Each structure stands twice: as C-alpha cells, then as structure tokens.
Amino acid sequence: MARSAILNVMVQAAIKAGRSLARDFGEVENLQVSRKGPSDFVSAADHNAEKIVRTELQKARPGYGLLMEESGTIEGDDPQHRWIVDPLDGTTNFLHGIPIFNVSIALEREGTIVAGVIYNPAMDELYTAERGQGAFLNDRRLRVAARKSLPDCVIGTGIPFLGVGDHARSLKEIRHVMGEVAGLRRCGAAALDLAWTAAGRFDGYWEHGLSPWDMAAGLLMVREAGGYVSDIDGGNNMFESRSIVAGNEHVHGQLRKLLANARG
Ligand code: IPD
Ligand code: CA
Ligand code: CA
C-alpha cells in the first residue's frame, strides 16, 4: 500500500509520539499505588507527546498552522492548511492503565479533512486514511460493517465525565438506543471509536461534546471506509455542534432517528 509523502510525515509523527506514550504507559502502573496518583505524570506524558508531534510536523511543513489540544491554535503562514492534533486521546484510560488510547493527527485543507492518522501504541494499531484513497488498519483496507438490522449491531458512544456535559441527555439517549441494539460500548477514546467504526468492529457510534481533535482524523477514516458521518442533525457541522453520528448508511440513519426520538 503506497502512502503519500504527507501521510508518511503524519505516520512518523504519530509513531514517534506513540512510542513515547507507550514507555510512559509502562510507568503508569507502578505509579497507581502512590497516594498522589499518576495524574501529574500523565499530564507530562501528554505534553511530551504533543511536543514530539509538533516538532515532526513543523519540520516537514513549517508554514502550516496547528490546532492542538494542549497548545491551542498556532497560526501558520499558509492559510490553506492546518494540522489538528490530539497527542493523547483516551487520557482517563491511560491514567487507569487501560490500553485504549491513541495519538490522532489530521490534515485540513481549505476546511476539508484530507488525511488522518490514528495510532494506538498499546495494540500497535495504525489507522490511516487519505481523501479518495481509502482507509487502512496497518496494511489492511478497511470497510465499515455491513449489518443493517439494529438488533444485530454493537454501537459505541461516549458518556459525559463528572462535572461536564449533559448527563440527563446522555441517559435519555442511552435508554432509547439500548432497547434497540445488540449492545452498547463506551471505550473512552473518541478517535478510536471512529477508527473502530471504520474497521467494522462497531456498527455505529455517536457522541456529544467533542472537540475537533477528537473527531478530525476519525471522521475521514469512517468516510474512506465507506461509512456515513454527520452531526446529530444530519449536517456536516461536527466541529461547531461538537456532535457526531457515524455508521454505514443504514445504521447511521436509524441511529439518528433514535437519537431524535430521545430528544422528544
Ligand atoms: C476524550 C475521549 C473520550 C471522550 C471525551 C474526550 P481526551 O478525549 O476521547 O472518549 O468521551 O469527550 O474529551 O480528553 O482523553 O483527549
Ligand atoms: Ca481527545
Ligand atoms: Ca487529549
């Protein structure tokens, strides 16, 4: 499978940052027993990973702007291109020694996501996609699941954390969807939820309250695997609405209907 030069840059950055995260992940388990807990350590791991990604990307394309979870917006000379980066997605999992976390890097060109990389170093799974070129897990081409009937479907979602998001809405939505599908999953890393939807592990996925860096690479992954992605209202304003619904054509539509019913 041939990758473009720019995708190679993204892959190298994700793998380098992922290796740093994997080393730190090994330490986290030792720190679990200390009273203070490993949260300062995890925050340092997060910042280190972001620094690695930023250095790699800026070395290859000095003019591109960046939107990074930890550093925010860094303007570039080239107004057409922007990197969107989450150096550690799945922080709570990482902190608890759960090996479901990733580095996520997307490239936006004139407002459209054109390339995405999601790397989970704990499982050594590298997801890549380029607009019009398909999505891959390592070297294997991805295709969304073909299931059409909700009772056969496993659906991923996100549940708001303590003190943030709309807990009542989440409970309502879960109640509506839970009664119609084979099973629900909350894996704790939005980029991987989307990558797993692209890989057909999840038949569908929805979440509210996300940021662009949680979704940018993953939404391209799902589309390039033949799936549908929209905001909760069926539009293309995922970043503004901070919501996302994904799946194959059939599941995406049915899931959106269930979520609309949950709103009453
Ligand atoms: C979080 C994860 C989680 C989602 C949250 C995100 P972080 O990202 O993707 O699955 O439910 O909304 O903020 O904080 O671990 O990078
Ligand atoms: Ca995230
Ligand atoms: Ca993060």
Side-chain angles (χ1 to χ4, degrees):
M1 154 216 165
R3 289 187 189 129
S4 72
I6 198 74
L7 192 64
N8 269 327
V9 165
M10 296 164 73
V11 166
Q12 289 321 311
I15 288 179
K16 203 164 172 187
R19 286 206 182 115
S20 162
L21 286 177
R23 275 194 301 274
D24 289 339
F25 186 66
E27 290 295 312
V28 167
E29 278 171 341
N30 303 331
L31 294 166
Q32 301 287 358
V33 289
S34 77
R35 223 166 75 86
K36 196 174 163 214
S39 57
D40 290 349
F41 179 82
V42 170
S43 162
D46 194 352
H47 282 90
N48 282 340
E50 182 161 301
K51 211 167 134 196
I52 292 168
V53 173
R54 181 177 166 176
T55 305
E56 292 294 309
L57 297 179
Q58 284 183 325
K59 197 165 66 185
R61 295 291 185 278
Y64 288 13
L66 290 120
L67 172 64
M68 312 189 91
E69 181 170 15
E70 306 306 328
S71 322
T73 296
I74 300 161
E75 301 290 346
D77 299 335
D78 176 344
Q80 292 180 333
H81 290 96
R82 175 168 82 145
W83 301 109
I84 303 178
V85 179
D86 193 342
L88 170 55
D89 178 51
T91 320
T92 307
N93 285 345
F94 189 95
L95 183 66
H96 286 256
I98 300 168
I100 303 176
F101 59 89
N102 65 96
V103 182
S104 175
I105 304 174
L107 175 61
E108 190 184 60
R109 178 174 299 136
E110 292 173 337
T112 300
I113 307 297
V114 294
V117 172
I118 295 170
Y119 180 50
N120 176 356
M123 296 181 179
D124 198 23
E125 288 193 341
L126 177 73
Y127 296 87
T128 55
E130 277 186 279
R131 195 157 185 251
Q133 304 298 316
F136 296 83
L137 164 50
N138 299 327
D139 287 335
R140 183 166 62 84
R141 179 101 192 227
L142 295 180
R143 195 68 216 154
V144 289
R147 292 180 200 87
K148 292 182 182 175
S149 164
L150 283 183
D152 297 332
C153 289
V154 169
I155 305 290
T157 189
I159 299 172
F161 293 103
L162 179 67
V164 290
D166 188 337
H167 289 212
R169 175 182 60 191
S170 177
L171 288 169
K172 246 190 190 175
E173 289 182 345
I174 286 170
R175 197 179 319 123
H176 267 74
V177 179
M178 188 165 64
E180 305 286 337
V181 302
L184 283 178
R185 296 288 182 273
R186 197 301 186 236
C187 288
L192 285 174
D193 289 326
L194 287 162
W196 290 8
T197 304
R201 293 177 183 172
F202 287 164
D203 298 286
Y205 163 69
W206 91 96
E207 186 161 353
H208 295 273
L210 293 177
S211 299
W213 47 80
D214 297 315
M215 307 183 255
L219 69 87
L220 180 66
M221 220 71 70
V222 174
R223 285 179 173 161
E224 287 299 320
Y228 278 50
V229 177
S230 75
D231 60 36
I232 194 82
D233 296 315
N236 200 32
N237 301 315
M238 286 77 72
F239 291 180
E240 295 74 19
S241 72
R242 308 191 62 186
S243 67
I244 194 159
V245 185
N248 69 31
E249 182 184 359
H250 306 278
V251 173
H252 173 265
Q254 293 177 77
L255 192 52
R256 269 206 54 238
K257 256 189 218 145
L258 285 178
L259 297 170
N261 292 343
R263 281 200 273 183

